[in-house]
Structure formats: C-alpha cells, structure tokens
Amino acid sequence: MIRLVHLTKRYGKFTAVDDIHLEVPSGELFGFLGPNGAGKTTTFRMIAGILRPTSGTVEIGGIDVAQRPLDAKSRLGFIPDRPFVYDKLTGGEFLRFAAALYGQQGPAVERRIDELLEVFELDRWKDELTESYSHGMRQKLIISGALVHRPEVIVVDEPMVGLDPKSARLLKDLFRQFVDRGGTVLMSTHTLEVAETMCDRIAIVHGGKIVAHGTMAQVQQQTSSEHLGLEELFLKLTGGLKEHQLDTILDN
Amino acid sequence: MLTPKWRSALARLREEQSGSGARAVLLGLVALVFWVGVFGIAYRVLRYFRGVEDIGNLIAAKVLGIILLAFLSILLLSNIITALSTFFLAKDLDLLVAAPISQSRLYAAKLMETVVHSSWMVALLALPIFTAYGIVYGGGFLFPVVALAAFVPYLILPAVVGTAFTLILVNIFPARRTRELLGLVATGALVVVLMILRFLRPERLAQPEGFKNLVDYLAVLRTPTSPFLPSEWTASIIMNWLLRVADPWPIAKLWLAAPLAGLLGALLHRRLYHLGFSKAQEGAERKLRRVIRGPVSGILSAVSPSKREFILKDLRLFFRDNTQWSQLILLAVLLLVYLFNIKSLPLHSGEQVPFRLITMISFLNLDLAGFVLAAVAARFVFPGISLEGRQMWLLRSSPLDPSAMLWSKYWIGTVPLLVLALMITVFTNWLLHASTFMMAVAVGTIVLYTLAASALALSFGAIYPQFGSENAAQIPTSFGGLVYMMSTLSLLTAIIMIEATPVMAYLRMDRYGGQLREILPELAASALLIIGICLTATFVPLRMALQRIEMMEW
C-alpha cells in the first residue's frame, strides 16, 4: 500500500508537486498520467526516498519513509525513468548487488537471478558487462533489479520506454499478476492505451496537482466527459492541442 | 558550433560568481600564489643567467627550448586523448554530424575545442615563464604580441598531429577500446619519461666536473635541442626578439607549418572521419575474463551482505576500468623515484654523517610522505562518492544505510593507503638508517595521519561532489579537491609543528647525554595532542559527510 499525504515539493519559488493526496491499496495497479513537467517523476522520487518532500508524508506499507526509511524502502522496488547502471558490472553481478542492498544473498538469490534473466531473455548476456547492453536491455535489467528482492510495492516511472513489443507485453502480464497476488503498482506512463487497458485506477496530474482521479468511469464523471476516451480526456484536462501552432510550423 | 560551449562556460562562470564569494577569492588566491611562485623562480634563475658573461644567454635560450620541448610532449599526449572525446565521443556529435555542416567546418570547430581543452593548463604555466623572460631581457611592450604570435601556432601543431593520430587509431580500433588503449599508452609514455629523467640523474649536469672542458660545454649549449620541432622555432622567435637578432626563419617556419598541418589534417579528416565516427558508435564487446570474488569474498565473509557486495562492486569497477588502475603503475613509478631520491642522498657514502642530520632528514621525510599520501588520497579516495553519480537512484531507493556506504568506501580507500604509508615510512627510514625512536615516531604519526587524510578526502569528496563528471582523474581538480588539499596540508603542518618539540628534545638528549624517560612528558603530551587532532580530523569530517549524503537529492 502507498499513501501520499499532502505531499509537496518546492524548488525555490517553483512548486513541482503541490499538495498531492493519494492512496493506492494492496492489489491495485494505479496509473499516474500527466504531460511532461507535471511532477510525476518528482513524486516518484519522493516515494523512493531519493528526494525529500518540502512538506507532507509518504507511507509504504503503512511505514513513513521519513521516519523509518530503511524499513519502508525494504518493501519497495523502484524502477526509474532512465536505466543508469554500473557499466563495468555484468548483468548477473548487478542483480547480485541489487539483492545484497536488500540484505539478500545465497543460493536462493542466485536461482532468482537466473529466473529473472531468463524471463527477460537476458540469460545469454548474464556475464557480459552492461556497457555493451542496449537501452532496452538495460531497462529490462533494472526491472529485474527491482523484482529480485520480492518487493510488496513497485513504483515504476515510464516502464515501456525502449522495450520491444514482446517485452512490453511481458511487463504488462507481470504487473497484472503481481497485483493479483496482493502487490501494489504505481506506474507513470505516456502511453494512454497502456493506462486504459492495464490500470485499475488512474490520476491525471497537471502543474503538480492531481486534477482528476479514480476509475476511468469516475474520471469521466468528475469531468462531465462521459463520451470522451482517455486521450481526449487527458488533452482536455491538461491544456489540449493548439492547432494554430501546427499551422505555423508546417506551412511554407 | 562553438557558441553553445562558449555560452555554457559563461553560464558556469556566472553561477560561480553568484555562488560563494569566498570560493572565488580562494581560487584567485591559489592561482596568484602559483603564478607568483613560478614567476619568482623563473625571474631569479634568468637574472642569474643574464649575469653570467658569454654563456648566460645561451643557457637561457637552451632552458627555454627544453621547457617548450617538455610542454610539446605533454601537449601531444593531451591532444591525442582530448581529440578522442571532442571528435568521437562528445554528446553534441550526434546533432552536429546529422546536421548539414561541411566536414571542414566541423574539423575547424572541433580542432579549436581540442586546442582549448588540451592546452589551457600549459598556457597558464607558460604565462609567468614568458613574463619572466620578457622582464629580465627587456622585451618591451611589443613582447606579449611576439610571444603570442610564437605560442599560438605552437599550440595548434600538436593539436593537429594528435587529432590525426587519434583519427587513424579510431579507424583501426573501436573508440571505447581506443580510449583504454590511449590511457595505457599515455601512462606508459609518462612512466618512461619520468624514469629517464630521474635515472639520468640530471643534478650531475650542474656539476662542472661532468664536462671535459668549456668547448664541450659551449658546443652542447649551442646545438639546438630539436631543430625540426616547433618548440625550437618558438624558443628561437622569443630569444631572437629578446636578444635583438634579426632572423625571420623561425617565424616563417612556424607560420607556414601550422596552416599547412591544419590543411593536411582537414584533408585526412575528410577522408577518414565518417568511417571513424561510425566505428566509434560501436559498443564495447567484453565477455568477462577476470573474476574478483573468491579470495576477496572470503576475507569479507564476516561483513554484512550489503557491505560485502558494495566493497566487491567498488573493487570490480576500479580494476575493470583501465583508465583507473593504470594510474597505479604511475604511482608505483613515482614511489620508486621517491625512494631512489632518498637512496641518492649523499648520507652514507663514506664520511660519518651526524646523527642530528639523519634525524632531521627522517623528520622532514615524514612531511614529504604526508604530502605524497595526501595527493594519492586526492586521486583515489576523493572521487569515491562522486563516482556513484548516476547510479545513486539505486542506492538511495534501497534500504542501504548511508553510513554503511560511507564506511565501506572509507575502508576501501584507507586500507591500501595505510599499506602504502607504512611501506614508504618504514622503507625510507630504513634507507636513512634512522634510529628506533624516529622509526617509531614516524610509523605512529603516519598511521594516524593516514586515517585522517583518507577521511578528509572522502568527506570533502561528499561535501563537494562532482556527479556530472565521468572521469575520476578530473574530480580532484575541482574546488572541493583544492579545499581538501589545503585542509590536509594544514593538518600535516600542525602535526609536524607539534612533533618538532619532542624531536628537538630527543636531539638535545643525544647531544648532551640523557635518558629517553627524561623526555617522556614532552613525548606523551605531543602524542596525546596528535592522537586527539587526528581522530577529530577523522570522525568530524566523516560525520559531516554522512549528514551531507543523507541530505543529498537527485
């Protein structure tokens, strides 16, 4: 379970996240949508304990991240938007290191690493340095890293970027089964089709604030847009598409 | 093409200025002290040469030629390595290569960038030296113009040659391979130059009995060091101006060679760049051969899994990066030269050397060893936190205790540093035939000092992190590195000053006769004081660094 209570982050006079209040219970896959610069990544980094909130609290599994960071983080698997890994470690060594950060080691971990690498079709590359991995392979490696310690909660920022259709499908199935087994997933994505088909509930963020949230039907109801699909709804809530700008760019 | 670089540099400068004023003042002060120091030495030496009849001017010209030759070799190495980044690995290249820009314009812009990046340090060092020549020899108000006219093509030539060399190499090897190869080549070249310079024992050249007669000596002075190299032409232009000799040849050679080399470089670039750039995009292979696990893992079996894997990870990253471990070779050679210098001291070559002198040298050697250790810690311990850089998301989102990370990094850096410190101290004192008392003082001091120096390096590296830098060797050259060096050298000075009292008492005791227990109170007081200072300098900075890490945001 994830609970954000009046979560705010300011950088000087600029407010990146503005009083966000949200609860994602166990067994739910929650979509966090919003245009670029809406505050999604900042929110996720605060949940992961990488950024400190200006005010408000974050709870993971009922544990306050600021009060008991190590306990809270041990329940979390965080997948950032950019897959930075140690170039001079092999895929296998990276996963072993990730597991050790959560205090896990031994034959069970080795088996788990092999399973994850096989599922993500990285087993052939296990002993290769990650500097030779493609973007998609690195993405799959950090997803494996977030799963290696069997987290209760997964916070994932733009998981589909760089993945081929087969891996994207695998990830969708994996997240679905994870929440069906009682896990919690909070996911940001720009792929609205993914959000529409995968998420139990969504929130649309704009200018650091949640402008609508709930199930698809609830969001349509809140915005009096029962006839609109998610794409139109998203555009309506986040400023829309300015067609005259396209004319300016495209006309000779 | 250069506008973004120029604007970025200006923006950085503005950021620095809007930041702490103390930083700018400190950096300015250090630069001033450095320049005044170099100028002072050059001025004194040149004044002395000028006073020597007949051969003084010849020696001054010879020295300038040698200095410029040394600079030329540094410039060549620096350009070869810089060109790899600017021409093949820079982040702006995708944009530039995809844009409709002619090959020659791209070459010219990137060559200029290479010249600036590889030559600024040499230019800064040359400035006070040229100034000293201009003042001592009365170069007049036009001298700066002449010096500039001689120095600019001198900088361009090694850049063109270095760039061409890199261009050819990249066409043979993939760029990432080439970078590692070049790192090794550069280190190897530097090692050879150092060994040759030291083991030739240049100090003997200052001894007149080294030459059979004056004619031999004059012949050596008159012969150009390297007649076909731009360093000689540049030196000739400057000395001709200063000594009022009308000889247009050196300037003609230099100003013809630079554009001609540039033209040839551009032609080579047009022919080979596209293929080279394409090859540079190829990823590195790397099936792993070396496995760092078995023995180290065994040693660390008592440590928690997170700390153990953290230490193993740092060791792997260090030993798998050729640009990192190859510097150990350089360090080993520098140490060899250091020990050779101690061995070369004319102390035990016949006559009885006073006990007082040996003790004093042993004591001063402690200072020198402290300086060496501070520099080694700056290079290898200071970048520890900065190197985590972009992977910090993993560490901060995991339940890894920041203090476990800090202490792991501390011991990874401190243990090898302690081994090095003890090796230097014990071996040099053994070479010096120092007394047991001095050996004990030196070993005790160096252990305490090393613990503190390593803590200061790691802590200042955390307080002033350079997360954007991917080059570990560059990280200590930052402002934080400067503050660290100044703090550590202040600590060293304090230790030496405190220890001077018992060492002097020890010497007095030896001179006037007495027992060691008579100086025990002085000895105990200074030992306690040093223990207190060193432990404070170990724990307080580490505590501050921990707070800084806990407050860090990415």
Side-chain angles (χ1 to χ4, degrees), chain A residues 9 52 73 86 93 105, chain B residues 308 320 388 396 553:
Chain A
K9 180 69 183 175
R52 278 172 298 114
K73 287 174 182 180
Y86 297 100
E93 285 168 349
Q105 60 169 341
Chain B
R308 183 174 61 241
R320 284 176 189 170
E388 290 299 339
R396 289 311 303 270
E553 293 191 328

Side-chain angles (χ1 to χ4, degrees), chain B residues 67-68 70-80 107 111-127 130 147-163 229-231 233-234 237 254-255 257-259 261-262:
Chain B
I67 289 174
L68 289 174
F71 281 173
L72 192 70
S73 52
I74 294 168
L75 283 171
L76 193 63
L77 279 175
S78 173
N79 274 299
I80 288 172
Y107 176 72
L111 186 68
M112 274 178 74
E113 199 185 323
T114 311
V115 170
V116 172
H117 279 296
S118 60
S119 315
W120 65 271
M121 223 178 256
V122 164
L124 285 184
L125 190 58
L127 186 68
F130 282 169
L148 206 64
F151 201 58
V152 170
Y154 165 82
L155 292 179
I156 291 172
L157 277 164
V160 171
V161 175
T163 304
L229 289 178
S231 53
W233 307 335
T234 307
I237 294 169
L254 200 59
W255 275 92

Side-chain angles (χ1 to χ4, degrees), chain B residues 282-301:
Chain B
E282 292 166 17
E285 44 51 81
R286 303 303 286 261
K287 195 85 182 170
L288 205 68
R289 288 174 294 274
R290 287 163 291 167
V291 179
I292 307 167
R293 191 158 182 89
V296 184
S297 215
I299 296 167
L300 298 172
S301 56

Side-chain angles (χ1 to χ4, degrees), chain A residues 11 13 27 39 42 58 60 71 74 76 78 80 100 141 151 153 171 233 239:
Chain A
Y11 295 102
K13 287 177 185 168
T42 306
V58 175
I60 297 170
D71 285 344
S74 63
L76 175 74
F78 175 60
L141 187 66
V153 172
L171 200 61
L233 199 65

Side-chain angles (χ1 to χ4, degrees), chain B residues 332-518:
Chain B
V333 172
L334 285 171
L335 280 176
L336 211 65
V337 169
Y338 178 71
L339 295 175
F340 186 79
N341 284 343
I342 298 283
K343 197 174 181 305
S344 302
L345 286 174
L347 288 177
H348 303 287
S349 50
E351 291 168 39
Q352 183 67 38
V353 186
F355 172 77
R356 194 182 178 83
L357 186 62
I358 298 278
T359 305
M360 285 308 289
I361 290 175
S362 166
F363 187 52
L364 291 175
N365 177 50
L366 192 61
D367 209 2
L368 205 58
F371 182 78
V372 169
L373 289 167
V376 174
R379 171 61 191 83
F380 293 105
V381 184
F382 184 87
I385 300 291
S386 299
L387 284 176
E388 290 299 339
R390 299 192 293 187
Q391 290 79 22
M392 203 57 107
W393 67 268
L394 176 67
L395 306 180
R396 289 311 303 270
S397 66
S398 77
L400 175 72
D401 189 349
S403 74
M405 174 173 89
L406 192 72
W407 282 105
S408 301
K409 287 210 174 272
Y410 178 68
W411 288 116
I412 292 170
T414 307
V415 171
L417 208 62
L418 265 177
V419 172
L420 181 71
L422 286 171
M423 268 168 55
I424 300 179
T425 315
V426 172
F427 202 56
T428 49
N429 277 300
W430 177 73
L431 283 174
L432 286 167
H433 300 193
S435 64
T436 315
F437 172 82
M438 281 312 293
M439 180 72 96
V441 167
V443 167
T445 310
I446 213 75
V447 168
L448 286 167
Y449 166 77
T450 305
L451 292 174
S454 181
L456 283 165
L458 186 64
S459 305
F460 277 107
I463 294 166
Y464 298 99
Q466 300 278 304
F467 289 124
S469 180
E470 287 175 20
N471 183 355
Q474 233 168 34
I475 295 170
T477 60
S478 62
F479 175 75
L482 180 71
V483 177
Y484 153 72
M485 277 307 276
M486 291 175 97
S487 314
T488 312
L489 295 184
S490 305
L491 171 73
L492 185 62
T493 311
I495 292 174
I496 296 296
M497 282 169 72
I498 294 166
E499 269 187 4
T501 316
V503 170
M504 291 310 286
Y506 174 64
L507 284 173
R508 267 200 311 275
M509 183 198 83
D510 181 71
R511 192 165 185 182
Y512 302 112
Q515 295 294 312
L516 195 59
R517 62 184 138 83
E518 289 166 24

